Amino acid sequence: MNDQQYDKPMIMVRDLNKWFGEFHVLKGVNLTVRTGEVIVIIGPSGSGKSTFIRTINRLEEHDGGQIVVDGTELTHDVRNIARIRQEIGMVFQSFNLFPHLTVLQNITLAPNWVRRWPRLKAEKKAMELLERVHIPEQAYKYPGQLSGGQQQRVAIARALAMEPKVMLFDEPTSALDPEMIKEVLDVMKELAASGLTMLCVTHEMGFAREVADRVLFFDKGEIVEEGTPEVFFEAPRSERARQFLTQILKH
Amino acid sequence: MVANLPMQRPKLATGPRAWARKNLFRTWYDSLLTLIVAALALSALLSFIQWSVTDARWSVVTENVSTLMRGIYPTDALWRVTASVLLVVGLAGVSWGVWGSRFRSIGIALFGFAVLLLVVLSIQRGTAAAGSLSRYLTTQFLPLLDVIRDPLLILIALLTVGALLGRGLARANYVISSRALVILWLVTIPLVLLLVRGLTPNTPVLPLVPTSLWGGLLLTFMMAFVASVFCFPLGILLALGRMSGAHARRGEKGLRGWIRSQGNYPVVKIFCTIYIEFLRGVPLVTVLFTANLLVGFALGSTDIDSVVRAMVALTLFEAAYVAEIVRGGLQAVPPGQAEAARAMGLNPLQATLLITLPQALRVVIPSLVGQFITLFKDTSLVAIVGLLDLIGIAESVRQKAEFSGTQREMYVFVAAIYFVICFSMSVAARQLERSGSGRTTTR
């Protein structure tokens, strides 16, 4: 990875605040993500890390602050939201594949209906992506016929089909059996190496160490600490991060 | 070395005797219960048969079959009803072939029924021998079979031919034949209405047959048909309307904000909720009476005929129930589905039409069919506002002096018709559930 591709900010978040009722989930979060950067977000559950990445494509609405993605600010304007969502792919913990559509239909749906690609172009792209996530032979099956790891790889292919500039991963391996985690992480490593801008919420510390350009540690709605994985894992500055790491590494 | 042999599954006793022992006579109280229920069922059946053979006067049915079927629909236009029935049955047959899964068992059952019908009829009409059974057979049972034989045989043949055709088409190209079939149904529905109703009184082709001449099973069918066709989309809209305030969201102020608030329309939600709860809270009879008074008033004319009024009432009433069923289905779709759809940039309309609604409808097929069966039976209430549907005609026929005291015969016949139709709907629905939707698992 070279440093030149990092100069333009892809995502800019300024003083982001959000409440769930009386509960202050995000307390003034600031973050700038450069193009091509891979960011891993870790932290205890309930710390607001999932909520944070869900505000970036407005699955959650923010109550204060500013989010700018690729030069477009997220406001109540539906056109802005639509534009930003087209540029951001998202992968969920529970896959959220559409069970009534085949794998191929799952992947071509958004290119067909949002990008208005002709069917053949969308299907060609879908088959390329299925090759990329190593399951081209599953194209005509339904999601229910696949294993969890395969389903999550289809979900990744589905998100990539829109040719997004940013990918958000919301605990993509947390619902998987141990032997399937590796196949999903391998695909994610390949994506990171290809220069895609990625934000991953995960508990996979090995993955974080290997591919992250920066690690963010969330606690109680704030970014408590951020740094390169080497610095963060070897010498965490904050007491809270140290505690969290010792607890994680015990297992 | 016995221990190394693969373990065999222990042999299970099979066959009817084993089944009966396991399910009917497992313990002494099981046996007692079986015997009591069997005795009750048998005695009811025997007394029904005895009544039907000795006392019943089936002539009330056989002599009035045509009135029961079509009321006073003019005979010279009857071919239009026949053509509609043939069209719908043929198309149903093709649909069965293309979409149905259990072709063989139902096919064999239908074929067996047809053969039975033919065999019974080809038995020599007994010379008026003594004994109540043969007298019953010659004077009562055979005339009834005579009346229903030809139509039934033609329908079964049409259904079977259609199904075989559909099988072939599905094998050749399932996707295209499936799509073509949907389009054909969409064309057939208005076509049937047009055929039965006609254009205007003076046109040479298809002159108008006013609804005041419709009656009997024809009227029942047309009411159920029209009401189901219209209450289904209306119910879906109501359900979506009622769900539209589900996620409270802050939006821009003013009209612009309201339009852009992404599926959050509290006014629509309140209207739909009031509509649904109100119509579910009143009996159909009141809706029928009210519609009788109000539809003409609302449309600003007094000559809306009462059949149309009843159809409107039925549609509006059943739509409220369909809406609640569809809403249940929508709620059963995991929220992650809509989230994923939104995250990939689909707009709310696309997300609903492509993702949530198809899944919701698939979940509620059984309840929806139940509702359509209810609707079909609900049409019998229009007799109360003076329409001569199957029940209305049956009632007026048996009140004639020459048929006095035959209400049992009449209602047994009417019940049999309702049962056959509703049961077929159930069977068709089970086929629909099995085809294609077995693969749905959420996640």
Side-chain angles (χ1 to χ4, degrees), chain B residues 163-176:
Chain B
L164 289 173
L165 187 70
R167 283 248 125 170
L169 287 175
R171 229 166 255 158
N173 190 331
Y174 178 79
V175 178
I176 289 181

Side-chain angles (χ1 to χ4, degrees), chain B residues 82-95 158-159 185 188-189 192 225:
Chain B
T82 316
S84 305
V85 172
L86 294 182
L87 197 63
V88 169
V89 171
L91 206 51
V94 177
S95 312
L158 203 57
L159 205 57
W185 273 114
T188 304
I189 290 167
V192 164
F225 192 57

Side-chain angles (χ1 to χ4, degrees), chain A residues 204-217:
Chain A
E204 298 296 328
M205 297 302 148
F207 173 78
R209 243 177 231 262
E210 196 176 328
V211 303
D213 295 313
R214 246 192 306 166
V215 176
L216 308 184
F217 177 71

Side-chain angles (χ1 to χ4, degrees), chain B residues 193-212:
Chain B
L193 285 177
L194 187 73
L195 265 176
V196 174
R197 186 178 173 278
L199 299 162
T200 57
N202 302 321
T203 36
V205 233
L206 297 183
L208 178 77
V209 179
T211 48
S212 52

Side-chain angles (χ1 to χ4, degrees), chain A residues 79-94:
Chain A
R79 283 169 304 186
N80 280 1
I81 297 175
R83 195 175 311 143
I84 287 175
R85 281 181 178 160
Q86 290 180 27
E87 302 309 332
I88 301 183
M90 184 156 190
V91 175
F92 300 86
Q93 179 177 357
S94 50

